[in-house]
Amino acid sequence: MAGVQEQTQHEDSYNSIKSNECENSISSQSHPTKHGRTHTGQKPYQCPECRKGFTHKSSLIKHVKIHTGRKPYQCSECQKSFRYQTSLIIHVRRHTGERPYQCNECQKSFSQRACLIQHERIHTEPKRFQCSECQKSFQTKFSLTNHERTHTGQKPYQCSECQKSFSQKYGLTQHERTHTGQRPYKCSGCQETFKHNWLLTVHERIHTGQKPYQCSECQKSFICKTNLTRHERIHTGQKPYQCSECEKSFTCKGSLVRHERIHTGEKPYQCSECPKSFSKKDHLIQHESTHTGLKPYQCSECHKSFSQKGNLTQHKITHTGYKLYQCSECQKSYSHQTSLIRHERIHTGLNLYQCSECQKSFSQKWNLAAHKIAHTGYKLYQCSECQKRYSHQTSLIRHERIHTGLNSSVLRVPEKLQEEIISHST
């Protein structure tokens, strides 16, 4: 028994060994020698291929696999292969969403222990590395190096497909997925996949209902920090993104990018069915429904269907009878703001829509579309009685009164026919 106790005390003495250089605890008898190399710079293990040196034999064994090209560990989800089993284990967590490492201070979770260790420095370590340009401080030299590129403009990481450059390797990795189409992050709740881990994190809050970012002014909560930042500008009135052409300012960068296309004429979103292009992605989505004919949004009151959710929401107002939007000139009320805007042009005389052929202007888009028919020579509307044809539906309606004897009012061109008129006139 005494011998066992003596052996245990002897083992404990190994566990309590401290480095003379940095006071770090060493966990085993052999470790002081290995640990000492971190201070001396000694690297006794050398690669026979590239002569690179290592402090530990295990590090050399791992390194040699780079030269063999062997990747024996394969992911069963996406068939991606890895040299090391630990790399495969970390990769698999992208598919499962597992985050086993949690911060004791703020309960934030991570898929890798190294990420947790780096995060914990936020709570414990001072910010020793300072930028000489703006005096901003960082906890690691790596973070400072990345930051300094915002001042120098250096972008050392280049895409081999399109030669686009990035200041950080992470940015390049994310960009490359636009070429490969890879979406490695899968939601365990609904199986939806994402290109980036942060998108999965934000998406998962839809299922959990978690909204960790709260406005200090009105206590409204948000699922991601960017939404909170954008919201807070409502209170401050801050509009940091300014157009270089017309000096108009915006609360978020995306709004500025979309606005600038007005000046450049850029239309990056092209329909796969026809040559038509759009400056906004949601406009392309709206247009594509004209090819598919799909109308998934149905009104529960009258069963009318719509291709877009926004159109259904606006339509439902007609059933409530509410007319929230009132003209300040004549007090006439409307269910939709767009209807009020069109009406107000009667008072202002504003004609936004101009014919490119004769420069005649119109207050309503459908009036311009109907007018363009006069230049094309098309006569789409035919009388069922005498086969006489007209360029405009209103002209046909007036003509038909000769046969019917009705004195009805002139009708506006239906919205469904407006697209047809525009497509014939372009």
Side-chain angles (χ1 to χ4, degrees):
M1 179 65 75
V4 172
Q5 287 177 346
E6 186 179 344
Q7 183 181 358
T8 304
Q9 289 171 359
H10 190 57
E11 287 174 352
D12 287 344
S13 69
Y14 288 149
N15 292 335
S16 62
I17 293 172
K18 287 184 177 287
S19 167
N20 293 327
E21 293 286 336
C22 63
E23 296 300 315
N24 283 342
S25 296
I26 312 301
S27 60
S28 71
Q29 188 179 18
S30 61
H31 285 177
T33 304
K34 291 181 180 179
H35 173 78
R37 292 174 192 147
T38 62
H39 299 294
T40 62
Q42 186 185 8
K43 294 182 179 180
Y45 302 100
Q46 194 175 57
C47 174
E49 289 286 330
C50 64
R51 320 311 295 174
K52 189 174 181 179
F54 298 88
T55 55
H56 306 313
K57 190 175 181 179
S58 59
S59 300
L60 172 62
I61 292 168
K62 282 185 178 181
H63 167 79
V64 167
K65 291 178 182 177
I66 295 170
H67 300 298
T68 64
R70 287 182 63 244
K71 293 183 178 182
Y73 304 101
Q74 190 176 55
C75 173
S76 59
E77 284 284 330
C78 63
Q79 281 66 57
K80 191 172 182 180
S81 298
F82 300 88
R83 292 189 184 95
Y84 315 117
Q85 190 176 22
T86 51
S87 300
L88 172 62
I89 291 168
I90 291 168
H91 166 81
V92 167
R93 288 176 189 149
R94 294 180 177 182
H95 300 299
T96 63
E98 185 190 4
R99 293 178 183 180
Y101 303 102
Q102 191 177 56
C103 174
N104 294 326
E105 289 287 329
C106 64
Q107 280 68 56
K108 193 171 183 181
S109 297
F110 301 87
S111 60
Q112 299 179 46
R113 184 178 176 83
C115 293
L116 170 62
I117 292 168
Q118 187 175 350
H119 163 81
E120 285 176 333
R121 291 174 184 156
I122 296 169
H123 304 297
T124 59
E125 289 188 8
K127 296 181 177 180
R128 296 178 293 144
F129 302 95
Q130 191 177 57
C131 174
S132 58
E133 287 286 329
C134 64
Q135 280 66 57
K136 193 172 181 180
S137 297
F138 300 87
Q139 287 166 329
T140 64
K141 192 171 183 180
F142 175 77
S143 299
L144 173 62
T145 302
N146 282 339
H147 165 78
E148 286 174 333
R149 290 175 188 145
T150 62
H151 299 299
T152 63
Q154 186 186 11
K155 294 181 177 181
Y157 303 102
Q158 191 176 56
C159 174
S160 58
E161 288 286 328
C162 64
Q163 280 66 59
K164 191 173 182 179
S165 298
F166 299 85
S167 59
Q168 298 182 40
K169 190 175 181 179
Y170 178 70
L172 171 62
T173 303
Q174 289 197 326
H175 164 79
E176 285 174 333
R177 290 177 190 145
T178 62
H179 299 298
T180 63
Q182 187 187 11
R183 300 170 75 95
Y185 303 100
K186 185 191 286 187
C187 173
S188 57
C190 63
Q191 309 308 309
E192 190 172 349
T193 56
F194 300 88
K195 289 179 182 177
H196 312 305
N197 193 23
W198 68 269
L199 287 175
L200 172 61
T201 302
V202 172
H203 167 81
E204 284 174 336
R205 291 175 186 150
I206 296 169
H207 298 298
T208 62
Q210 185 188 11
K211 293 183 178 181
Y213 302 98
Q214 191 177 56
C215 174
S216 58
E217 288 286 328
C218 63
Q219 280 66 57
K220 191 172 182 180
S221 297
F222 300 87
I223 60 174
C224 63
K225 193 173 181 180
T226 50
N227 287 353
L228 171 61
T229 303
R230 195 179 300 129
H231 164 81
E232 285 174 332
R233 291 174 186 149
I234 296 170
H235 301 297
T236 62
Q238 186 187 12
K239 293 183 177 181
Y241 303 99
Q242 190 176 54
C243 175
S244 57
E245 288 287 329
C246 64
E247 314 302 327
K248 192 172 181 180
S249 298
F250 300 87
T251 56
C252 59
K253 191 175 181 179
S255 299
L256 171 62
V257 172
R258 287 190 291 271
H259 165 80
E260 286 175 333
R261 291 175 189 148
I262 296 170
H263 302 298
T264 62
E266 184 190 6
K267 293 182 177 181
Y269 303 102
Q270 189 171 42
C271 176
S272 58
E273 293 288 328
C274 68
K276 204 167 184 181
S277 298
F278 300 86
S279 60
K280 297 180 180 180
K281 190 175 182 178
D282 56 340
H283 289 176
L284 170 62
I285 293 168
Q286 289 174 16
H287 165 78
E288 285 176 333
S289 64
T290 62
H291 296 297
T292 62
L294 188 65
K295 294 183 177 181
Y297 303 101
Q298 191 178 58
C299 175
S300 57
E301 291 285 330
C302 64
H303 308 296
K304 189 173 181 181
S305 297
F306 299 87
S307 57
Q308 300 155 49
K309 190 176 182 179
N311 289 346
L312 172 61
T313 303
Q314 291 225 335
H315 164 78
K316 281 182 174 179
I317 296 171
T318 61
H319 294 300
T320 64
Y322 286 119
K323 292 185 177 181
L324 302 174
Y325 304 98
Q326 190 177 56
C327 175
S328 58
E329 290 287 330
C330 64
Q331 317 314 314
K332 193 170 183 179
S333 298
Y334 295 88
S335 302
H336 308 305
Q337 190 177 25
T338 51
S339 300
L340 172 62
I341 291 167
R342 283 196 295 266
H343 163 80
E344 285 176 332
R345 291 177 193 147
I346 297 169
H347 302 297
T348 61
L350 185 65
N351 291 329
L352 295 176
Y353 304 100
Q354 189 176 53
C355 176
S356 56
E357 292 285 331
C358 64
Q359 278 67 57
K360 190 173 181 179
S361 298
F362 300 87
S363 61
Q364 311 291 337
K365 190 177 181 180
W366 70 268
N367 282 339
L368 170 62
H371 164 80
K372 281 184 174 181
I373 301 295
H375 296 296
T376 63
Y378 285 116
K379 293 185 177 182
L380 299 174
Y381 304 98
Q382 188 176 47
C383 175
S384 58
E385 290 288 329
C386 64
Q387 316 312 313
K388 194 169 182 180
R389 301 181 73 90
Y390 294 88
S391 301
H392 305 126
Q393 191 185 35
T394 51
S395 299
L396 173 61
I397 292 167
R398 283 195 292 267
H399 164 79
E400 285 176 336
R401 292 178 195 148
I402 298 169
H403 302 296
T404 61
L406 294 175
N407 188 26
S408 59
S409 61
V410 176
L411 297 176
R412 202 193 95 164
V413 179
E415 284 188 17
K416 195 170 183 179
L417 289 172
Q418 287 180 34
E419 289 291 333
E420 183 185 346
I421 292 168
I422 293 167
S423 64
H424 276 284
S425 61
T426 55

